[in-house]
Amino acid sequence: MTATATLTRHAPDNADSRVVDWVDSIAELTQPDRIVWCDGSAAERQRLLDEAVAAGTLIRLNPEKRPNSYLARSNPSDVARVESRTFICSEREDDAGPTNNWAAPAEMRVTLTGLFRGAMRGRTMYVMPFSMGPVGSPLARLGVQVTDSPYVVLSTGTMTRMGADALAQIGPRTEWVPAVHSVGAPLQPGDADVAWPCNETKYIVHYPETREIWSYGSAYGGNAILAKKAFALRIASKIGEQEGWLAAHMLLLKVTNPSGRAFHVAAGFPSACGKTNFAMLKPSMPGWTVETIGDDIAWMAPGPDGRLRAINPEAGFFGVAPGTGHSTNPTAIATVQSDTIFTNVALTDDGDVWWEGLTEETPSHLVDWLGRDWTPDSEAPAAHPNSRFTVSADLCPSIADTWDDPAGVPIDAVIFGGRRATNVPLVAQARSWEHGVYIGATLASERTAAAEGTLGELRRDPFAMLPFSGTHMADHWQHWLTVGERLGRSGQAPLIFQVNWFRRGEDGRFLWPGFSENSRALAWMTERIEGRADAVDSPFGLVPVDGAIDYAAAGVSREDWDALFAIEPEALSAEADDTDVFLARMGAKVPAAVMRQHAEFRARL
Ligand code: GTP
Ligand code: MN
Ligand code: MN
């Protein structure tokens, strides 16, 4: 009798036999000592937390300061997504496109089989059935991840609907995405474990056609919580293309105006460009409210009524800690008061957490994310710049009561934005869906230290999906055009807008105060939807007429307001040249509509 045959007897009675067979085959390959099928219960979570504390993976924070909360310190080399080790292994290289790493699936399978053989020796393999989206929603999708990392189980438990309810959804004909994860650090008998096992060799691999994910060597969230970026964006963007819906790196929010009319908005900004902040916006304008539906990923499908309906497939937030403070995002600060796992932030002397930007005053002594003593004189930051909090969405005070509606919410507007020191106005409305797709396709973010008067270094991040697309980027654009045509036929396509909170003056300071004042741009967008606000044409699309946005109330001078919308033909023409190069790199699949819109942008300069 093999060891694994003993172990899989513990599969729940109702587990679908394909799931059991698959778990069996992975156990055969990876040779774990034990297999645990996760039920997602509170008792199971507490047991895992206690074990992780005993193993040194988690540090329990002071319960008087931060109840039920923990600090994890990763291996110093395992702190972020590794784009260079992320692969889209489609059968044809052309289906992965020029923006993804590609390898032939058959070759990659050989490589991974070698790496995963015996990779879980000495460890427990956890089986995590999960639902992306409310369990049973027609928009939800199922998956099963195995992992040998208790930290990944705890994170997945917060970020997805994980456990027995999800497993019960999987019947003989249900589609589910299998995902295999190992930290790649097997233990020989007698080996002592480390607090954060991982491997220098890393692979994050996606097979879009067969809808499978394999991840090796890292326990960092973006590489290891495979339900999130790997499934809900990379694999889902391919499934969406085949089934007629959209997987987007977008927040979802509900905004209600003073007369009580509600609008739903999806907004795509590249990583670290303000999605979590915008999703938790506290409007500076009296009478307006913003409620949160999601802060990172949206799945959107044309509904039975012809409108675009969206769900947040996640169940929690995996947010950037640095820069999140009482003055910038008080809602996030309130959300992480308890029941939160922090990764790579600093520890205070009284057993609480701290990071740059949390408070105006810096504590006089801390233990930094590497476990070293830290004072304000220390050179390196106390928290890693990509340190994160993991917390359940239902702890967010601004969460909308419709956030987990199985039918999703109807989308009124789609917004694209990036970090642009120059050129891009505070807000503009696309002239059409096609123009909006062009704006998304050519989206860019700029280094904040851009030299004055010059274009600055542009990094294209089309649809904010550069690291997250499981398909050829130009196919992704064509898919958005196709979905837009379908929505347009029923006259119910959302309006598309572009925003930029990051334009700078010649002296380098931000021209727009941002954060709560972003509500003024949002309010104007809702007035455009209602047909109540006027706009004038510009090369970027329709911009607010004089007086449509009360910039003075936001503390912005007339001069700065004009600078937020200034058109500099030479800089725009240089940007159009850069767009030529970018579109040429995307190759022959670039839709004619995108080329047409680019020609029109030039013609309007
Ligand atoms: P991911 O979770 O990595 O996808 O990033 P995100 O898009 O959620 O970014 P997040 O909201 O965490 O913001 C990243 C940084 O942008 C933080 O340092 C924020 O303080 C800053 N930021 C967000 N909104 C604004 C704004 O309106 N103005 C300015 N100046 N900075 C902002
Ligand atoms: Mn993100
Ligand atoms: Mn975020």
Side-chain angles (χ1 to χ4, degrees), residues 109-131:
R109 284 182 197 280
V110 172
T111 305
L112 291 183
T113 301
L115 284 171
F116 277 88
R117 185 167 290 129
M120 295 190 187
R121 276 211 185 97
R123 298 194 180 278
T124 301
M125 178 168 97
Y126 299 91
V127 183
M128 306 185 290
F130 61 84
S131 174

Side-chain angles (χ1 to χ4, degrees), residues 228-229 249 271-272 274-277 295-296 317-320 388-389:
K228 190 172 168 63
K229 303 298 194 185
H249 189 205
S271 297
K275 285 185 301 302
T276 298
N277 277 272
D295 84 323
D296 199 54
F317 306 126
F318 182 61
V320 180
R388 299 261 171 174
F389 54 80

Side-chain angles (χ1 to χ4, degrees), residues 337-490:
Q337 275 323 297
S338 72
D339 300 276
T340 303
I341 294 179
F342 299 90
T343 304
N344 289 339
V345 301
L347 183 66
T348 65
D349 290 348
D350 57 1
D352 199 4
V353 285
W354 193 84
W355 52 79
E356 281 71 17
L358 173 62
T359 53
E360 255 158 57
E361 245 174 70
T362 304
S364 57
H365 178 263
L366 294 164
V367 176
D368 76 4
W369 70 278
L370 290 159
R372 304 174 306 193
D373 281 313
W374 187 96
T375 68
D377 295 333
S378 302
E379 265 172 36
H384 188 276
N386 193 38
S387 53
R388 299 261 171 174
F389 54 80
T390 310
V391 65
S392 186
D394 53 25
L395 292 179
C396 176
S398 65
I399 201 80
D401 56 11
T402 49
W403 85 276
D404 56 357
D405 187 334
V409 294
I411 296 298
D412 300 289
V414 170
I415 306 175
F416 294 109
R419 217 175 248 275
R420 297 296 308 267
T422 60
N423 289 6
V424 178
L426 177 72
V427 58
Q429 181 192 336
R431 282 179 290 270
S432 62
W433 182 274
E434 182 181 296
H435 182 218
V437 169
Y438 168 73
I439 290 169
T442 55
L443 195 67
S445 241
E446 206 164 61
R447 289 196 199 287
T448 47
E452 287 112 1
T454 65
L455 186 65
E457 189 190 75
L458 279 186
R459 191 183 65 103
R460 297 287 167 168
D461 192 344
F463 280 78
M465 284 287 277
L466 186 69
F468 307 123
S469 174
T471 70
H472 192 301
M473 195 49 82
D475 288 338
H476 191 71
W477 304 345
Q478 181 54 55
H479 181 51
W480 270 75
L481 289 166
T482 307
V483 171
E485 261 168 45
R486 179 164 162 205
L487 295 165
R489 279 200 292 277
S490 58

Side-chain angles (χ1 to χ4, degrees), residues 82-90 96 100-104 108 112 202-208 212 214 234 469-470:
V82 283
E83 291 179 14
S84 62
R85 306 301 305 158
T86 301
F87 294 85
I88 302 298
C89 297
S90 45
N100 282 314
N101 300 313
W102 177 84
M108 184 57 88
L112 291 183
K202 293 178 179 26
Y203 279 92
I204 296 90
V205 176
H206 311 73
Y207 301 104
E212 295 165 85
W214 289 71
R234 298 194 191 99
S469 174

Side-chain angles (χ1 to χ4, degrees), residues 38-41 44-45 127-135 140-145 152-167 179 221 224-232 297 299 312-318 390-394 403:
C38 299
D39 61 14
S41 65
E44 172 183 270
R45 183 173 181 84
V127 183
M128 306 185 290
F130 61 84
S131 174
M132 295 311 276
V135 174
R141 288 290 187 282
L142 297 153
V144 183
Q145 178 174 343
V152 170
V153 179
L154 289 163
S155 305
T156 304
T158 301
M159 297 306 296
T160 76
R161 284 95 172 163
M162 186 272 277
D165 291 352
L167 184 64
I225 309 169
L226 300 178
K228 190 172 168 63
K229 303 298 194 185
F231 179 7
I297 300 177
W299 284 358
N312 170 11
E314 304 189 272
F317 306 126
F318 182 61
T390 310
V391 65
S392 186
D394 53 25
W403 85 276

Side-chain angles (χ1 to χ4, degrees), residues 492-509:
Q492 309 215 64
L495 300 184
I496 300 182
F497 295 88
Q498 176 169 34
V499 299
N500 177 23
W501 316 138
F502 299 93
R503 195 150 176 176
R504 290 179 187 252
E506 278 174 10
D507 51 3
R509 97 207 121 79

Side-chain angles (χ1 to χ4, degrees), residues 13-21 142 166-176:
D13 291 340
N14 68 338
D16 181 72
S17 63
R18 290 170 310 150
V19 178
V20 178
D21 290 348
L142 297 153
L167 184 64
Q169 293 283 312
I170 301 180
R173 265 175 290 282
T174 319
E175 221 218 304
W176 52 280

